[in-house]
Amino acid sequence: MTDDLTGNLFYRRDDWEHFLLDMVSGGDFSDISTFVDQVYPPGAAWDFDLLLYKGQKLALRGTRLIGFEKEGCIVFPSFGIEVWAHVAPMRTLIAHHIAYMQAIRAAWVGFVQETGHIRAATCKAVAEIDAGLCVRFDSQHNAYVLRGGHVIATANIINSADIPPVVDRAGENLKAGLILPVDVPEEDIIPPPPLRQFHFPRDVPCIEAYHIARKTGIDPDEIPF
């Protein structure tokens, strides 16, 4: 994480670690990344307007609806997030939400770039053993070293330290003529659908029809924001 979010109203270490673990496990955050690029560009954390509509505040960037007041909460409709409105001024809550989502986007972009470098380095290292070897990856970051369509080594690779062991194993198995009883999963990786962008006044019916999903058994004092 390159951004210090410890002072952010939305920051919880457990939640942040969950995001990172989800990325490592194959979770796709491209929908959030695309939304942030389009709606929350750099410098946008405090760049929005508050509009009073029927006695309730709406947060807008141009015509894009970022959030709105409803039944004592602030709702971020594109993400389905509801937070208690009484803990901070609406402008602060909106700004902290934007900064938090920008940080998730930055973490995802950095993760994708690093993953690309690691995969390229893995392929290069394996090819140096034998030009007839190739590497395929699945969405869970598992690498499959193949020769003639047969798997001779496999490993989960999420950082550069994971590369030498699988290269060594591939070299040993190649010399021994060992083929693993492993199939390379045939995956049709479908990116998540884009997050819906709400607009004002087009989506006024959504605002008026929205109901807060009350959760029983939760003490508001225990909610970090």
Side-chain angles (χ1 to χ4, degrees), residues 8 12 16 24 50 71 80 126 130 133 170 175 182 192 213-214:
N8 190 294
R12 285 187 65 180
W16 189 260
V24 170
L50 293 182
E71 300 173 20
V126 167
D130 188 304
L133 299 179
K175 290 179 181 178
V182 175
R214 299 293 185 187

Side-chain angles (χ1 to χ4, degrees), residues 71-147:
E71 300 173 20
C73 291
I74 304 299
V75 178
F76 301 96
S78 294
F79 297 92
I81 296 174
E82 303 165 355
V83 299
W84 299 105
H86 70 273
V87 298
M90 184 173 179
R91 185 169 291 277
T92 300
L93 285 170
I94 297 289
H96 281 217
H97 162 76
I98 292 174
Y100 192 75
M101 291 302 165
Q102 287 174 329
I104 292 175
R105 182 261 178 197
W108 170 249
V109 170
F111 178 76
V112 170
Q113 291 175 342
E114 183 63 19
T115 298
H117 294 323
I118 290 169
R119 292 187 175 189
T122 303
C123 294
K124 181 176 182 293
V126 167
E128 289 174 352
I129 299 175
D130 188 304
L133 299 179
C134 66
V135 186
R136 288 179 59 184
F137 299 89
D138 65 18
S139 62
Q140 305 298 313
H141 309 293
N142 294 309
Y144 302 85
V145 182
L146 296 98
R147 180 175 176 79

Side-chain angles (χ1 to χ4, degrees), residues 8-198:
N8 190 294
L9 289 167
F10 288 80
Y11 179 76
R12 285 187 65 180
R13 184 178 180 85
D14 290 346
D15 288 343
W16 189 260
E17 290 176 348
H18 168 75
F19 283 126
L20 299 181
L21 288 172
D22 199 11
M23 291 178 191
V24 170
S25 300
D28 191 333
F29 287 76
S30 57
D31 53 346
I32 291 178
S33 181
T34 299
F35 183 91
V36 170
D37 282 340
Q38 295 174 348
V39 184
Y40 303 156
W46 294 91
D47 182 17
F48 56 87
D49 298 310
L50 293 182
L51 172 71
L52 197 62
Y53 171 75
K54 293 188 176 180
Q56 295 182 316
K57 294 178 183 176
L58 311 180
L60 304 174
R61 292 200 78 247
T63 65
R64 290 188 176 102
L65 177 64
I66 298 174
F68 57 87
E69 287 183 320
K70 190 76 172 187
E71 300 173 20
C73 291
I74 304 299
V75 178
F76 301 96
S78 294
F79 297 92
I81 296 174
E82 303 165 355
V83 299
W84 299 105
H86 70 273
V87 298
M90 184 173 179
R91 185 169 291 277
T92 300
L93 285 170
I94 297 289
H96 281 217
H97 162 76
I98 292 174
Y100 192 75
M101 291 302 165
Q102 287 174 329
I104 292 175
R105 182 261 178 197
W108 170 249
V109 170
F111 178 76
V112 170
Q113 291 175 342
E114 183 63 19
T115 298
H117 294 323
I118 290 169
R119 292 187 175 189
T122 303
C123 294
K124 181 176 182 293
V126 167
E128 289 174 352
I129 299 175
D130 188 304
L133 299 179
C134 66
V135 186
R136 288 179 59 184
F137 299 89
D138 65 18
S139 62
Q140 305 298 313
H141 309 293
N142 294 309
Y144 302 85
V145 182
L146 296 98
R147 180 175 176 79
H150 300 290
V151 178
I152 65 170
T154 184
N156 185 256
I157 299 180
I158 57 174
N159 58 60
S160 57
D162 298 325
I163 298 175
V166 73
V167 172
D168 292 342
R169 194 174 309 120
E172 293 170 359
N173 292 349
L174 180 64
K175 290 179 181 178
L178 182 62
I179 295 176
L180 302 182
V182 175
D183 293 324
V184 181
E186 296 185 5
E187 297 182 277
D188 293 326
I189 301 176
I190 302 174
L195 296 178
R196 177 180 173 183
Q197 294 187 24
F198 290 79

